[in-house]
Amino acid sequence: MKKFLPLIAVAILIACNKQQVEPNANVATEILKQKATLTATPEGEKLSKEDLDALVLNTLDREKDFRWDWLDMKALWSATHYGDQSVAIGYKPTGVASIESVIHKIDLNSAAWKATHDALIKMVLDELNAKSKSEITERDIIVEDDRVLPVITFKLTDKDILTALYNLENVRYIEPLDYFPGSDDERSTSGCSASTYALNSADYSTTTPNCLLPWNYSNTNIAAAWNNAAGQGITIGVIDAGLSSSQPLLNSDFNNGDSNVGRTVTTDYTFGNSAFATCTHGTSMSGLAVGPRNNTGATSGVAYKSNLHFIRGCEDLLLDKSSEKTGVKNALVKMGQKADVKIVSMSIGSPFYSSVIYDGVVYAHNQGKMLLAAAGTSFSWLSWWGVTYPAVHSQCVAITGVKENNNTCESCHDGSEVDFTIAMERNNNSSRNSLSLKQSGNTSSYIGGSSAATATAAGVAALVWSVNPSFTREQVYNYLLTTSQFYPSPNGYTGYGNLNAGAAVNAAQAPL
């Protein structure tokens, strides 16, 4: 381990004063400081993909959760070799404890933060160049240098450098961003295919001016809420896998029918090179949350007078690639910075904890956003799993879907972290779910799972918030909570049960 002492010693030293209260204080201390107890560099060869997969999945099964800091340095180093070799380094200045409460206030250009940032990059470059025959530059090794959150993503597999980073008090976490257990076939286009199941006429009704109401809207008492609130003055943010440019009801015809109130739809992207994509998932989720109460015969969204801000943050709903984790983190930051967004709906997730995504969750939550996240939708190897991330986080309102009889829907996850449910599936037919907009045209299609439940719940939250846009997030949550199905006695798997939009809106109006 002594070989790493010179690597740390090259850090610039300034006078010693270890107290820091404010997130951007100019701390005078060592720029980089080793931990009191050091971890040795891994010996021998890296673990095979098969052995690493077994270790990760056994940990997940045993602990019902997974964190990289639960595994040893050899497993962490081995994981950097599988995937695109992206490694996220969360950092902090010497002397700073937890940054969770102040992460939204940090100025990375302030002296202490910039010095730490620069010293970490110099440390990595110096060691790589000491071993290389040709010069390595920042451009060669830095995948992303976040200018809002204290995260640098390197392309890095060197076990000496990874261990040296691990041994620093300044490193909050080391996360192999692109490692994923299983085959590459399980890493693509999950949840992007539209249902082809023929619509049953019993699964919708028609209302003015000429739109369809999904059968499950009555289970959530949405029509009753519309007598008093329709989401006006509220912007819902949706982070998902892309919006269809061919669906006018989420683009040029967003103000169609009874939604003609001058509302806006705006788009952005942190994944790919456009907000628009062929994946149907983001279109369906946006349609459920804010689709117009239209005169074209298409289905209506819940908060049909709310604005939409859509950010494409991922390729599909399973966050298993480095670009997706980074994309969702950056989308959360953008949502946090957008003053008019009050609610963020995320029908996406992963069974694996991600420190990168958690930084984004905390940032947006600290900015006052109500974050709704899907409890999880099953894939073949994940059907046994409980609530997935980011819904597990306490900063998120976890939503799942249930059948008409309140049993969890066939593909939905549940668990103690669930806050609320939405009826999302017919009792005897798992193919008959809620309805939403397709990629184009006015014909509706089935869409279900905890994803659809989350987008529906986001619409319900907007209905309540529109009663008084000056409400705090906590006030809106309380109206949802106290009018929910099982309040005040939550179920161990489905939380407080189904939301009641009509009752929640009425409760929100009572103080006025």
Side-chain angles (χ1 to χ4, degrees), residues 15 54 58 62 102 113 172 179 228 236 247 285 303 319 417 431 489 500 502 509:
N58 285 338
R62 183 181 65 252
V102 296
W113 286 96
R172 299 185 293 124
Y179 165 79
N228 300 297
I236 297 179
Q247 179 46 263
M285 297 305 104
L319 305 177
E417 299 87 354
S431 296
S489 303
N500 186 329
Q509 287 181 313

Side-chain angles (χ1 to χ4, degrees), residues 153-167:
T153 301
F154 294 98
K155 191 173 287 292
L156 187 63
T157 60
D158 187 290
K159 64 181 178 180
D160 295 331
I161 300 174
L162 288 167
T163 306
L165 290 167
Y166 186 85
N167 283 325

Side-chain angles (χ1 to χ4, degrees), residues 137-464:
T137 67
E138 290 185 22
R139 181 175 296 182
D140 298 320
I141 62 167
I142 295 181
V143 178
E144 185 198 43
D145 190 357
D146 198 312
R147 305 315 301 161
V148 178
L149 301 177
V151 183
I152 308 169
T153 301
F154 294 98
K155 191 173 287 292
L156 187 63
T157 60
D158 187 290
K159 64 181 178 180
D160 295 331
I161 300 174
L162 288 167
T163 306
L165 290 167
Y166 186 85
N167 283 325
L168 290 176
E169 286 187 4
N170 309 84
V171 172
R172 299 185 293 124
Y173 58 80
I174 299 176
E175 183 168 319
L177 273 187
D178 204 54
Y179 165 79
F180 188 78
S183 66
D184 288 342
D185 291 342
E186 293 173 302
R187 289 171 57 117
S188 61
T189 62
S190 303
C192 282
S193 299
S195 171
T196 58
Y197 198 85
L199 292 187
N200 188 309
S201 60
D203 292 340
Y204 58 85
S205 58
T206 302
T207 191
T208 57
N210 178 30
C211 67
L212 303 187
L213 298 186
W215 63 271
N216 62 323
Y217 278 22
S218 62
N219 297 64
T220 310
N221 209 14
I222 288 170
W226 285 350
N227 292 328
N228 300 297
Q232 57 276 13
I234 305 299
T235 298
I236 297 179
V238 174
I239 301 174
D240 214 287
L243 198 65
S244 172
S245 60
S246 302
Q247 179 46 263
L249 291 172
L250 294 176
N251 293 282
S252 60
D253 214 11
F254 192 56
N255 281 281
N256 179 275
D258 287 358
S259 296
N260 188 17
V261 292
R263 65 187 190 145
T264 62
V265 54
T266 53
T267 61
D268 200 351
Y269 61 92
T270 54
F271 178 91
N273 55 17
S274 171
F276 302 102
T278 57
C279 180
T280 63
H281 199 257
T283 300
S284 297
M285 297 305 104
S286 299
L288 275 169
V290 298
R293 185 167 171 173
N294 59 86
N295 59 20
T296 68
T299 187
S300 173
V302 176
Y304 64 84
K305 289 186 179 179
S306 286
N307 306 313
L308 170 66
H309 183 62
F310 182 92
I311 300 181
R312 185 188 183 200
C314 47
E315 181 181 14
D316 52 29
L317 70 112
L318 181 60
L319 305 177
D320 53 7
K321 297 180 180 178
S322 62
S323 53
E324 292 181 302
K325 295 169 189 173
T326 299
V328 170
K329 179 253 300 177
N330 292 339
L332 282 161
V333 169
K334 287 192 169 188
M335 290 295 189
Q337 293 174 334
K338 202 168 188 321
D340 62 315
V341 171
K342 292 184 178 293
I343 298 161
V344 179
S345 179
M346 297 180 286
S347 297
I348 51 181
S350 169
F352 300 102
Y353 173 90
S354 168
S355 298
V356 163
I357 293 177
Y358 183 64
D359 276 354
V361 164
V362 174
Y363 181 92
H365 181 268
N366 287 1
Q367 298 283 20
K369 311 305 177 185
M370 177 179 280
L371 308 178
L372 285 83
T377 300
S378 294
F379 301 96
S380 58
W381 65 277
L382 195 60
S383 58
W384 55 275
W385 188 245
V387 178
T388 59
Y389 289 99
V392 171
H393 296 309
S394 62
Q395 294 86 355
C396 294
V397 181
I399 309 293
T400 199
V402 292
K403 293 178 178 288
E404 297 168 275
N405 59 12
N406 296 322
N407 290 332
T408 305
C409 68
E410 188 168 294
S411 63
C412 300
H413 293 201
D414 58 21
S416 60
E417 299 87 354
V418 168
D419 289 279
F420 302 115
T421 60
I422 297 287
M424 193 52 57
E425 190 174 283
R426 291 297 199 184
N427 288 336
N428 299 316
N429 191 331
S430 62
S431 296
R432 290 169 59 188
N433 316 114
S434 191
L435 303 174
S436 190
L437 301 173
K438 301 178 82 168
Q439 287 289 86
S440 61
N442 301 321
T443 302
S444 303
S445 65
Y446 287 111
I447 183 73
S450 66
S451 290
T454 301
T456 303
V460 173
L463 297 182
V464 176

